[in-house]
Amino acid sequence: MSTGLPSTRTDSNRSTATRRNRRNTSHLKDVPETLAMRESLRDRCREVADRLDHDHPLTKDEMEQVARRMLEEADLPEGLLGWTMVNISSAFWRNQLSTVPPERRLFLLPHCLKHAEGCPADYDQFGMNCKQCGACSIADFRSVAEDMGYRVLVAEGSPVVLKIIVGGYVDAVVGVACLNVLEKAIDKVLLAGIPCMAVPLLSSDCRNTKVDESWVEEMIRTPYVPAATQTRSYVHLMRAAGSLFGRDTLHRLAPPMRGIGLPDPNSPLIAAPRRDSVSLEAGVNGAVERLNGEVPDYSDDAIRPEHLEGVDPIAATEAIAYDFLARGGKHSRPFITLAAYDAMMGGEATCGEGESKAAAIPDAVRRAALSIETFHKASLVHDDIEDDDAYRYGQPAVHHRFGVASAINVGDYMIGLGYRLLSRNMLGDDVEAATRVDLLDSLAAAHVRLSEGQGAELLWRDAKDRRLQPIDALKIYALKTSPAFEAALYSGVRMAGDAEGLVEPIRRFSRNLGVAFQIINDLNDWIGDDSNKLSAGADVIAGRPTLLWALALQHLDADDQETLLQIAADDCEMSVSERLSTAGRLYRKAGVFDLSLQLVDKHQARAEQVADELESEPLRRLFYFLVDTVLERPEMPTPNTIQLSIAAPVA
């Protein structure tokens, strides 16, 4: 077999060596027909994986390149691509997974292998309790895994997997699922450098199917061999970012001025206890409760007016603000700050001693990271008011619980708290005055640009003329979304030392990453976003200016333009469903989904080009990681590709 493999991104220019293939590969999910064929191909996958560079985790696109080359050399059909990628990935990580003791591994299983309709096991949003069921082999697999000490979760494709890992409960994942689920669920886990192995089911359906059972048992019984971590991982920095919002850490970094902050777990201030670690959403708590019985399942613990009865009114704002700051969210902005600082210090928190290196990050850097999230959370409170959104993080929005005036005030309080975190000397801080000034200036500039972008959006939303040019939509995106990425990156870099020479690259990278991210948000709006939206098409109903809207107006004829504009008119008599249906039909007619994806590609290419030119290898690797994880394209049907006829704004 040929030994030629794709170059790693640390050794060559990513834009030329690993430019991702944007084609949809969802149809390439065939499974080799016979066990002999599967075993032969799996052996080939292991040979290839053993020759790969294990210093850095492979992206999905790099894995695809390796798999395609292997299939071509073996003269095998392209339809086996997905299956081959899963097996190359499992082979890549098998030695690394063996360094994780079984009690730190998570075993994921599908709903039911044979009798989905008649399965007697109870299933809810947190997984299936099938231990007592003998209808399929899941119970057998589970017994083997639990005897070895695994944490077990029966809920394939569960969105809580990464949160469970970031929460510190497990360090590796093994799973059984169909190829479609594996593609969606495991990508970010692998990118973060988390050891992961999987056995694909023998059909595209995760129910009423079969699996190579001996493969599953072999995977579960992967022996524990203590050894140093080889492949770099961002998981310890992710955990460090999440831990900022545990009660003790948050109070140390941002001491409550009124003595309340987050309530003690035994305090009657809120109805249910809160963990003193990572702020976990209800779904995570339920899943972990099923895993180990440690975490209570609470679904509605947000502070409400009745919880503040008897509390000093002056202290109430602090209590509401700290509660909102600690709950929900991916903590991506504080992660970026911590990771940027670590990258400038050599990237040691991604290596074998990553846990101790991440723990040694100075509190001054943690306060800078915390301040970024504080500003972000303040903007969310105000955005929810301006858009009259009912929910945030699965809880009623702050203004729905306490009223608009109080919510505005809570947002203002968090803005003040964000500046306070950076402006004052605190015990243990060793930050020069010039550094503090630079950080405050960066955050102030980001705050101003965010307000300009939000103001432009509100003025358009309330205007009578709803015409919008694509270039204007992109300008709004650059103002609304990019400053947060820029401030987070700059803060981490500046806290590590002189940022001269990196200001402009950070600005260009953040602008392109932020614009591409916001375009993807537009696309997600049409398929629903479980994190923040209750239904698809919310942007149209709320009258928000989007690139999709602008592209449709640019590419539709006059009659269709008028029809689209009428949807947004105050006197529109269409029902919500009719408006959404009409908008969707016109969007598809104008080809706006393909046009938007082309713009995502263009801005992603520009962001990658900035990364290619960085001298710092750890910082370059972080930039690539952000591109791969932030710009997660949705799967949605689109018409045939239309030639892009607008120019993206110069970054």
Side-chain angles (χ1 to χ4, degrees):
M1 182 184 295
S2 168
T3 59
L5 295 171
S7 301
T8 63
R9 287 170 296 179
T10 57
D11 297 329
S12 61
N13 183 296
R14 168 164 169 153
S15 291
T16 57
T18 60
R19 173 69 58 218
R20 58 182 62 216
N21 186 339
R22 311 294 188 203
R23 292 189 312 112
N24 186 351
T25 60
S26 61
H27 61 294
L28 305 177
K29 300 293 193 305
D30 295 341
V31 175
E33 294 181 359
T34 67
L35 177 60
M37 290 176 61
R38 294 193 292 274
E39 289 179 338
S40 176
L41 190 52
R42 183 178 65 162
D43 290 342
R44 284 179 177 266
C45 291
R46 288 179 172 177
E47 292 174 10
V48 169
D50 287 343
R51 298 200 308 275
L52 294 173
D53 178 8
H54 285 67
D55 188 43
H56 305 287
L58 292 179
T59 68
K60 176 182 171 183
D61 301 291
E62 291 168 330
M63 195 74 69
E64 180 180 338
Q65 289 187 46
V66 174
R68 283 187 180 279
R69 183 169 301 181
M70 197 193 87
L71 290 174
E72 290 171 1
E73 293 176 348
D75 195 25
L76 292 171
E78 185 187 27
L80 297 174
L81 181 65
W83 190 93
T84 303
M85 289 171 62
V86 169
N87 281 276
I88 290 176
S89 177
S90 294
F92 179 91
W93 286 106
R94 73 183 189 279
N95 289 335
Q96 187 85 12
L97 187 134
S98 68
T99 68
V100 178
E103 61 269 19
R104 296 292 299 171
R105 301 176 190 173
L106 174 65
F107 183 35
L108 291 174
L109 280 163
H111 290 152
C112 188
L113 290 178
K114 296 177 181 176
H115 302 89
E117 289 77 11
C119 179
D122 294 328
Y123 182 79
D124 57 24
Q125 60 179 319
F126 305 131
M128 182 175 287
N129 187 10
C130 62
K131 190 171 183 179
Q132 306 303 320
C133 173
C136 70
S137 53
I138 286 182
D140 297 332
F141 295 149
R142 181 168 190 162
S143 295
V144 172
E146 289 181 339
D147 287 345
M148 293 181 63
Y150 280 77
R151 311 291 181 89
V152 181
L153 183 63
V154 183
E156 83 281 353
S158 174
V160 306
V161 174
L162 188 56
K163 292 184 179 180
I164 290 174
I165 293 170
V166 172
Y169 297 99
V170 297
D171 297 316
V173 180
V174 300
V176 178
C178 63
L179 289 171
N180 287 328
V181 166
L182 289 174
E183 182 178 48
K184 296 175 183 177
I186 306 301
D187 196 20
K188 286 190 176 182
V189 175
L190 293 175
L191 280 172
I194 298 163
C196 184
M197 293 178 64
V199 175
L201 295 174
L202 300 183
S203 76
S204 60
D205 188 355
C206 288
R207 295 182 176 217
N208 301 318
T209 185
K210 298 179 180 179
V211 69
D212 289 317
E213 297 188 5
S214 62
W215 290 24
V216 177
E217 185 158 349
E218 177 187 349
M219 177 179 66
I220 297 171
R221 294 188 184 279
T222 299
Y224 171 48
V225 182
T229 300
Q230 180 180 357
T231 306
R232 290 181 180 270
S233 172
Y234 284 105
V235 68
H236 298 300
L237 289 165
M238 292 178 174
R239 288 174 177 171
S243 69
L244 298 176
F245 304 91
R247 182 177 183 274
D248 290 349
T249 303
L250 182 60
H251 284 193
R252 187 184 80 248
L253 298 175
M257 297 180 66
R258 301 298 176 183
I260 293 185
L262 288 178
D264 184 270
N266 299 316
S267 168
L269 181 60
I270 59 173
R274 180 187 301 278
R275 286 188 61 83
D276 183 23
S277 58
V278 180
S279 178
L280 300 175
E281 296 181 64
V284 182
N285 286 317
V288 176
E289 181 184 29
R290 180 67 57 82
L291 289 173
N292 56 17
E294 293 178 0
V295 182
D297 175 18
Y298 60 88
S299 58
D300 189 15
D301 69 331
I303 288 182
R304 296 176 181 272
E306 57 268 26
H307 298 141
L308 297 176
E309 292 180 5
V311 174
D312 182 352
I314 296 177
T317 298
E318 176 182 276
I320 299 169
Y322 273 68
D323 173 77
F324 187 72
L325 181 61
R327 74 173 56 257
K330 302 175 182 177
H331 305 132
S332 57
R333 291 158 187 82
F335 161 77
I336 290 173
T337 297
L338 297 180
Y341 173 83
D342 174 67
M344 296 303 294
M345 301 300 290
E348 294 183 342
T350 65
C351 298
E353 301 298 322
E355 184 175 5
S356 61
K357 297 299 182 182
I361 293 176
D363 274 357
V365 180
R366 296 175 188 272
R367 288 191 183 94
L370 183 59
S371 72
I372 303 292
E373 188 74 357
T374 303
F375 284 111
H376 172 61
K377 288 293 181 70
S379 73
L380 293 183
V381 172
H382 290 162
D383 282 353
D384 288 345
I385 295 170
E386 291 160 352
D387 297 334
D388 196 22
D389 286 335
Y391 292 92
R392 176 68 66 176
Y393 304 132
Q395 304 282 348
V398 175
H399 69 285
H400 278 273
R401 281 182 278 140
F402 296 97
V404 171
S406 292
I408 292 173
N409 188 60
V410 167
D412 291 343
Y413 176 93
M414 286 193 286
I415 292 171
L417 177 61
Y419 283 116
R420 177 171 169 257
L421 283 165
L422 292 176
S423 62
R424 337 180 32 191
N425 288 316
M426 302 185 74
L427 184 63
D429 275 352
D430 273 329
V431 182
E432 295 180 355
T435 301
R436 290 190 187 277
V437 170
D438 286 348
L439 293 183
L440 288 169
D441 183 66
S442 173
L443 285 171
H447 201 167
V448 168
R449 298 207 307 273
L450 169 65
S451 299
E452 289 175 337
Q454 181 71 359
E457 177 178 304
L458 295 173
L459 286 172
W460 184 89
R461 186 192 70 182
D462 297 334
K464 292 183 179 180
D465 184 1
R466 297 299 178 86
R467 294 186 181 275
L468 182 69
Q469 294 296 320
I471 191 68
D472 294 324
L474 293 173
K475 287 179 180 178
I476 292 175
Y477 291 177
L479 288 169
K480 281 196 61 178
T481 308
S482 303
F485 291 118
E486 181 177 346
L489 280 169
Y490 179 80
S491 294
V493 170
R494 185 66 181 89
M495 290 294 288
D498 190 357
E500 185 177 357
L502 288 173
V503 174
E504 182 60 19
I506 288 174
R507 186 196 70 81
R508 288 192 291 121
F509 176 82
S510 300
R511 179 184 177 90
N512 286 289
L513 185 71
V515 170
F517 171 76
Q518 194 60 48
I519 296 172
I520 290 174
N521 268 2
D522 283 0
L523 296 171
N524 279 326
D525 180 65
W526 281 95
I527 58 176
D529 181 350
D530 293 337
S531 297
N532 286 306
K533 298 182 185 298
L534 298 180
S535 62
D539 287 342
V540 168
I541 301 306
R544 300 186 185 102
T546 67
L547 179 67
L548 303 182
W549 182 273
L551 288 172
L553 289 174
Q554 184 181 66
H555 289 274
L556 291 172
D557 60 31
D559 289 341
D560 284 336
Q561 288 182 35
E562 289 303 320
T563 301
L564 186 63
L565 290 169
Q566 183 57 37
I567 292 175
D570 294 336
D571 59 354
C572 180
E573 297 180 354
M574 294 184 185
S575 66
V576 170
S577 61
E578 289 174 331
R579 291 164 66 190
L580 290 177
S581 176
T582 301
R585 174 178 60 81
L586 293 176
Y587 281 6
R588 289 187 292 272
K589 184 176 182 179
V592 301
F593 300 123
D594 272 349
L595 290 170
S596 297
L597 286 171
Q598 288 180 49
L599 279 170
V600 171
D601 291 346
K602 179 170 289 190
H603 283 282
Q604 175 165 336
R606 290 177 173 175
E608 289 175 337
Q609 184 177 6
V610 175
D612 291 338
E613 297 168 355
L614 292 175
E615 293 183 5
S616 167
E617 191 271 335
L619 189 62
R620 183 167 64 249
R621 187 171 62 248
L622 174 61
F623 276 30
Y624 290 144
F625 176 75
L626 294 176
V627 168
D628 290 328
T629 53
V630 171
L631 303 185
E632 183 181 12
R633 290 161 177 77
E635 288 190 12
M636 58 194 308
T638 59
N640 293 331
T641 300
I642 296 175
Q643 185 62 37
L644 185 64
S645 61
I646 69 167
V650 177

